[in-house]
Amino acid sequence: MGKIAIVYWSGTGNTQAMAELVAEGARAAGASPELFTAAQFSAEKVKEYTALALGCPSMGAEQLEETEFEPLYQSLKPVLGGKGVVLFGSYGWGDGEWMRSWQEDLESGSATLLAEPVIVNGFPDEEGGQACRQLGEKLAQS
Ligand SMILES: Cc1cc2nc3c(=O)[nH]c(=O)nc-3n(C[C@H](O)[C@H](O)[C@H](O)COP(=O)(O)O)c2cc1C
């Protein structure tokens, strides 16, 4: 089984809770995922992992968080070739546009999306939590 990194940015804890649920799902499937905030991760670390979960809420106007996460994501993109990736994040009043844009951008590169992105309104409820755990399982099975 390959190594899994779960990398997220979270301002008020909702996407962090999702990240922890993704980790829970991966552990339940037998993996030992490592969790990082955006500030703790870098492009140099990508080579240590076979699969990555990237999490960021909808910020700005349907955008990735621009100070830490967007620059990190831009630096990761060129080195994601051959990696299995899943995306997740929390949103507020929008309709998930930021995630559609993010998915489209990721799919235009060389990473393999392992599952449909998971988006949750606010804090993950039971259904959202289950979807996050399933992302973790997909990562573990990749
Ligand atoms: C500065 C700012 C901009 C935001 N922009 C959007 C947005 O464009 N669309 C949306 O659906 N929610 C938006 N939100 C709401 C957040 O996505 C939502 O509160 C989310 O749950 C925050 O996740 P977090 O707890 O992981 O930070 C915004 C929140 C903030 C603070």
Side-chain angles (χ1 to χ4, degrees):
M1 188 178 284
K3 280 180 71 181
I4 297 168
I6 301 169
V7 184
Y8 67 93
W9 185 94
S10 185
T12 55
N14 296 332
T15 305
Q16 179 178 354
M18 294 178 77
E20 286 162 2
L21 288 158
V22 173
E24 200 177 294
R27 277 190 216 104
S32 303
E34 293 173 38
L35 277 138
F36 301 89
T37 63
Q40 293 167 334
F41 203 71
S42 66
E44 292 75 58
K45 285 196 160 73
V46 168
K47 59 179 177 298
E48 299 172 33
Y49 300 92
T50 50
L52 293 96
L54 302 177
C56 184
S58 181
M59 297 292 286
E62 298 298 333
Q63 287 153 336
L64 296 173
E65 188 278 326
E66 66 181 6
T67 304
E68 290 182 355
F69 196 87
E70 174 73 29
L72 173 67
Y73 173 62
Q74 291 304 331
S75 76
L76 297 183
K77 266 170 67 174
V79 292
L80 288 178
K83 307 288 179 185
V85 177
V86 299
L87 304 179
F88 64 93
S90 174
Y91 66 100
W93 51 83
D95 69 350
E97 182 190 337
W98 105 105
M99 186 58 83
R100 293 194 295 278
S101 308
W102 191 9
Q103 175 177 7
E104 197 175 303
D105 186 72
L106 186 83
E107 287 181 325
S108 71
S110 51
T112 305
L113 205 60
L114 296 172
E116 282 301 303
V118 172
I119 66 172
V120 158
N121 188 249
F123 192 83
D125 60 8
E126 187 53 42
E127 190 188 338
Q130 196 49 33
C132 291
R133 286 192 202 92
Q134 280 167 7
L135 272 192
E137 284 167 26
K138 288 265 184 196
L139 284 171
Q141 289 158 2
S142 70

